[in-house]
Amino acid sequence: MREKLEQILVKALEEVNVADTKETLEAARVKYLGKKGELTAILRGMGQLSAEERPIVGQVANEVRAKIEAAIEGAAERAEAHELENKLKKETIDVTMPGKKIVFGKKHPLTTVLDEVTDIFTGMGYSVAEGPEVELVHYNFDMLNAPKTHPSREPQDTFYIDDEIVLRTQTSPMQARIMEQTQPPIRIIAPGRVFRNDEVDATHSPMFHQIEGLVIDKGITMGDLKGTLEVFAKELYGEETSVRFRPSYFPFTEPSAEMDISCFKCGGKGCPMCKYEGWIEVLGCGMVHPNVLRNCGIDPEVYSGFAFGVGLERITLFRYKIDDMRLLFENDVRFLSQF
Ligand code: DAH
């Protein structure tokens, strides 16, 4: 029996020593130490031994088991190191290979110009407000003093969701929303998308962006409006830019005006850019109508203010001398990445 045990030990150690993977080691462990293993079988047969022999053989068997276990443990460490080494060899990195090029994105020209406009106005103490694109008729028209018969209310011009809800046609409803919520002094700009039932062409799109401006305080005059918008035009288009105001009409302002800037291309002499007029129209503006102030719970005897609305696409096209608005929405990266 003792000899048998020693044979097992020798055989087991031989096998363990050549095993170089976890799998072959596990196979060896099962073969000798497992439930049906060779050593286990001997231990089972010990019942047949005499009372004197049993402890001696038992001791030897335990020693054999311990030696095999220790050998397997040592071999397992070697096998692991071996496997790691193989893996590292297989996964070598060729450091001379050219790297993957990272393509950096760029801001869309509309975003760049909106950021600039935002900087100009926040620099003058304005905050930025945002509001819903799906808007109540109440805010889009009624609160803004738009007569029930105003042509912009027609479904040919406006996308109606139902009788009371529209896709906002202008950012002006933000004037009413802000004035309802905030006590003067108010100084905000409200940029965002607006929607009109227009066919797509070089100067129209059913979706475009506006930036609304609103100032309400005691003693605000048309002089404040003109000074503010002149600063805006000069900062956006250059110090040499001059502005002019032409009378106009909007339901929510009285008086109302349109602001032109001197053509940045010809300086006012006349060229194709300004259609030989020397001036380019950039925004609508005016003094907030007393009815609108009253609708929002602000006393027109105490407060006054001005408002303006700028088309973001328009000022962006001028800014980069792009002649077709569709180019801004087609999202051809080759085109957009030039700006
Ligand atoms: N909401 C006007 C439009 O879409 C633009 C506008 C004009 C806004 C005058 C104003 C303003 O705030 O005072 O045509």
Side-chain angles (χ1 to χ4, degrees):
M1 189 125 310
R2 204 190 178 121
E3 259 165 45
K4 188 100 191 278
L5 280 170
E6 256 146 33
Q7 274 167 18
I8 289 177
L9 178 61
V10 171
K11 242 174 24 153
L13 292 184
E14 258 171 31
E15 262 171 60
V16 169
N17 282 340
V18 295
D20 60 355
T21 66
K22 277 187 208 147
E23 290 75 30
T24 47
L25 274 173
E26 177 59 13
R29 193 189 63 76
V30 171
K31 184 168 170 193
Y32 294 100
L33 307 180
K35 268 194 208 150
K36 294 179 186 160
E38 292 184 23
L39 185 64
T40 319
I42 295 212
L43 291 173
R44 284 226 181 89
M46 275 183 30
Q48 287 145 19
L49 296 176
S50 67
E52 297 90 63
E53 272 181 308
R54 213 176 291 155
I56 303 168
V57 175
Q59 198 193 343
V60 176
N62 278 338
E63 280 168 16
V64 168
R65 162 178 285 275
K67 280 181 188 159
I68 296 176
E69 274 172 355
I72 289 177
E73 209 170 293
E77 273 168 34
R78 279 200 316 274
E80 206 166 302
H82 189 72
E83 273 168 36
L84 181 64
E85 203 179 307
N86 279 344
K87 197 169 166 210
L88 287 176
K89 261 190 212 147
K90 256 191 260 157
E91 292 178 0
T92 47
I93 297 168
D94 180 357
V95 291
T96 63
M97 287 231 304
K100 280 198 191 124
K101 206 169 166 191
I102 298 168
V103 184
F104 285 102
K106 269 188 103 174
K107 278 190 199 169
H108 191 283
L110 289 174
T111 309
T112 307
V113 172
L114 176 57
D115 285 351
E116 263 178 57
V117 172
T118 305
D119 276 353
I120 294 170
F121 282 103
T122 51
M124 292 194 270
Y126 289 59
S127 354
V128 179
E130 279 184 11
E133 294 171 6
V134 180
E135 182 58 285
L136 296 169
V137 168
H138 174 73
Y139 286 110
N140 198 80
F141 294 121
D142 299 339
M143 290 288 275
L144 295 175
N145 201 38
K148 288 281 183 222
T149 54
H150 197 275
S152 65
R153 290 190 184 242
E154 294 294 319
Q156 290 98 301
D157 291 321
T158 297
F159 294 116
Y160 279 84
I161 306 282
D162 62 28
D163 287 350
E164 278 159 32
I165 302 174
V166 294
L167 298 187
R168 67 177 175 190
T169 60
Q170 48 186 355
T171 43
S172 305
M174 282 305 287
Q175 292 186 27
R177 284 184 173 273
I178 294 288
M179 281 191 273
E180 261 184 356
Q181 287 162 16
T182 328
Q183 277 306 303
I186 294 170
R187 247 189 262 147
I188 57 114
I189 55 167
R193 286 192 190 97
V194 300
F195 306 85
R196 289 185 194 174
N197 199 350
D198 282 333
E199 292 289 333
V200 173
D201 65 23
T203 52
H204 292 87
S205 158
M207 187 285 297
F208 59 102
H209 300 77
Q210 290 187 334
I211 305 158
E212 196 75 16
L214 177 69
V215 174
I216 307 284
D217 204 349
K218 287 179 180 155
I220 298 290
T221 69
M222 192 91 184
D224 298 305
L225 176 157
K226 290 174 80 173
T228 304
L229 293 178
E230 183 170 1
V231 168
F232 164 63
K234 284 179 187 294
E235 293 218 10
L236 195 63
Y237 287 104
E239 196 48 44
E240 63 290 350
T241 310
S242 26
V243 297
R244 77 174 182 188
F245 292 83
R246 282 179 292 107
S248 184
Y249 168 78
F250 298 102
F252 38 87
T253 45
E254 182 59 34
S256 302
E258 254 149 310
M259 184 176 88
D260 299 339
I261 57 168
S262 54
C263 178
F264 40 81
K265 194 147 188 206
C266 63
K269 286 196 246 20
C271 71
M273 184 89 208
C274 58
K275 303 203 179 83
Y276 299 97
E277 291 197 11
W279 296 94
I280 292 174
E281 183 191 318
V282 287
L283 58 82
C285 57
M287 301 305 291
V288 178
H289 198 294
N291 288 349
V292 176
L293 292 173
R294 266 192 294 268
N295 288 345
C296 302
I298 293 177
D299 185 352
E301 300 298 327
V302 180
Y303 291 104
S304 58
F306 67 84
F308 54 91
V310 192
L312 179 59
E313 279 72 11
R314 211 174 147 72
I315 58 173
T316 303
L317 295 181
F318 292 148
R319 178 56 189 277
Y320 294 114
K321 304 188 172 65
I322 304 170
D323 59 5
D324 193 325
M325 190 152 115
R326 286 168 288 202
L327 291 165
L328 293 176
F329 297 128
E330 279 164 2
N331 282 340
D332 183 334
V333 176
R334 289 168 305 175
F335 174 78
L336 293 175
S337 58
Q338 300 173 82
F339 305 101

